[in-house]
Amino acid sequence: MTAEDAPQQIEKPVLIVTGLKQEARIAAGPGLTVICSSSNPVQLREMMMSFDPASISGIVSFGVAGGLSPKLRSGDIVIASEIVAAKGRWIAAEGLSQALYGLPEGEHRIVRGVLAGVEEVVLGSKAKAVLRATTGADAVDMESHIAARYAEQHTLPFAALRVISDPAHRALPEIAAAALKANGDVDVWKVMRGIARRPSQIRALVHSGRDFNRALRGLRSYRSRLDGASSFRIVEAAE
């Protein structure tokens, strides 16, 4: 067989699924296709259906998550071992997960854990405790279960990298949860109006803001190492 007869190597992009615009900006890079659902499960399902599964080599759910395990702190990085949801359970692809988990640890702790997928934001610490008890999950987000189901349907490897924003004991202020725009940005004016109506939530907003910024720093610091991780991109031979 000559060099001309040898099959060419086609590098297909990895699809990165995010919920917030800040997460999408961090994830963007060569060899990656990034989508942002604006934390809207219905919108994410519609976006996923627009993809030709043959055009991507795998899927990674990337972003922040709420802590369910009391052992996790804001800024901790969770590489999913599996995803659990009301209507399914999916095991993360070990090869792709190890490519993420195997990178050197920096200032942020990296752990393997179970992610719970939900359709609505889990606000209170009591609700988090119930979800932890019923699923055994370590963290929760609103995108991973949808991406995992799509990957299973199309026989694509799936992995998830999530950084803890609000830990298990922290309740998310309703103001913050209700102020997300359709494009994934935060409606600052809506937050301000909410504070004017309920000034008692200022302290909770400050804590949540600090946690969220710590989580975004974790995403940025870890994402920068992915550029040189050849195992993160799955190369398939053309037939």
Side-chain angles (χ1 to χ4, degrees):
M1 178 183 294
T2 66
E4 294 180 356
D5 295 327
Q8 293 181 341
Q9 296 293 310
I10 299 177
E11 294 185 348
K12 298 179 181 180
V14 172
L15 177 62
I16 308 296
V17 176
T18 67
L20 301 173
K21 202 167 184 179
Q22 298 98 318
E23 299 166 347
R25 291 193 189 105
I26 293 170
L32 307 174
T33 297
V34 182
I35 60 174
C36 175
S37 71
S38 302
S39 296
N40 184 327
V42 174
Q43 180 170 291
L44 178 57
R45 290 186 177 93
E46 293 173 350
M47 296 173 77
M48 297 291 292
M49 292 306 297
S50 68
F51 276 91
D52 175 6
S55 68
I56 56 177
S57 61
I59 302 175
V60 173
S61 173
F62 180 88
V64 302
L68 299 181
S69 168
K71 295 181 180 180
L72 294 175
R73 306 181 300 269
S74 60
D76 285 347
I77 296 169
V78 179
I79 307 298
S81 56
E82 60 182 310
I83 312 296
V84 296
K87 296 183 179 180
R89 193 177 201 99
W90 302 269
I91 303 298
E94 190 59 27
L96 189 53
S97 298
Q98 283 294 338
L100 299 175
Y101 186 72
L103 295 177
E105 194 169 320
E107 63 176 296
H108 300 274
R109 186 167 59 131
I110 305 170
V111 301
R112 293 297 296 269
V114 178
L115 292 179
V118 297
E119 298 292 307
E120 296 181 356
V121 178
V122 182
L123 293 174
S125 55
K126 290 183 179 179
K128 289 181 181 180
V130 170
L131 187 59
R132 164 81 167 167
T134 56
T135 64
D138 299 290
V140 57
D141 71 76
M142 298 175 65
E143 295 81 39
S144 293
H145 63 302
I146 298 172
R149 182 185 292 276
Y150 180 90
E152 179 185 60
Q153 290 173 340
H154 299 287
T155 321
L156 288 164
F158 168 83
L161 185 159
R162 290 280 166 167
V163 182
I164 300 300
S165 179
D166 49 301
H169 68 274
R170 187 96 71 206
L172 279 175
E174 293 182 14
I175 294 173
L180 198 64
K181 295 180 181 178
N183 65 355
D185 279 333
V186 174
D187 189 333
V188 177
W189 289 111
K190 194 169 185 178
V191 171
M192 297 302 291
R193 289 194 296 271
I195 291 174
R197 290 193 298 269
R198 300 179 64 183
S200 60
Q201 290 206 1
I202 291 178
R203 184 174 181 180
L205 278 171
V206 170
H207 284 304
S208 294
R210 288 175 179 170
D211 288 340
F212 182 63
N213 287 331
R214 188 177 295 115
L216 290 183
R217 288 197 299 272
L219 284 177
R220 291 190 188 97
S221 65
Y222 201 78
R223 170 62 183 83
S224 65
R225 297 177 191 156
L226 297 180
D227 292 327
S230 59
S231 57
F232 185 65
R233 297 176 66 186
I234 304 167
V235 181
E236 295 184 350
E239 296 183 356

